[in-house]
mmCIF file of all heavy atoms in Angstrom:
data_model
loop_
_atom_site.group_PDB
_atom_site.id
_atom_site.type_symbol
_atom_site.label_atom_id
_atom_site.label_comp_id
_atom_site.label_asym_id
_atom_site.label_seq_id
_atom_site.Cartn_x
_atom_site.Cartn_y
_atom_site.Cartn_z
ATOM 1 N N SER A 198 106.420 33.484 120.048
ATOM 2 C CA SER A 198 107.839 33.199 120.274
ATOM 3 C C SER A 198 108.036 32.217 121.426
ATOM 4 O O SER A 198 108.984 31.423 121.420
ATOM 5 C CB SER A 198 108.596 34.505 120.573
ATOM 6 O OG SER A 198 108.139 35.089 121.787
ATOM 7 N N SER A 271 86.367 15.018 113.191
ATOM 8 C CA SER A 271 85.967 13.701 113.685
ATOM 9 C C SER A 271 85.229 13.866 115.008
ATOM 10 O O SER A 271 85.769 14.407 115.970
ATOM 11 C CB SER A 271 87.204 12.819 113.888
ATOM 12 O OG SER A 271 86.845 11.594 114.484
ATOM 13 N N MET A 369 90.652 35.545 92.773
ATOM 14 C CA MET A 369 91.238 35.957 94.046
ATOM 15 C C MET A 369 91.486 34.746 94.944
ATOM 16 O O MET A 369 92.518 34.653 95.609
ATOM 17 C CB MET A 369 90.324 36.967 94.746
ATOM 18 C CG MET A 369 90.161 38.295 94.005
ATOM 19 S SD MET A 369 91.747 39.077 93.620
ATOM 20 C CE MET A 369 92.368 39.418 95.265
ATOM 21 N N ILE A 380 97.785 25.052 96.423
ATOM 22 C CA ILE A 380 97.706 24.435 95.093
ATOM 23 C C ILE A 380 98.858 24.983 94.248
ATOM 24 O O ILE A 380 99.470 26.003 94.599
ATOM 25 C CB ILE A 380 96.362 24.727 94.374
ATOM 26 C CG1 ILE A 380 96.177 26.239 94.154
ATOM 27 C CG2 ILE A 380 95.190 24.135 95.119
ATOM 28 C CD1 ILE A 380 94.989 26.585 93.268
#
Side-chain angles (χ1 to χ4, degrees):
S198 64
S271 174
M369 295 306 296
I380 61 171

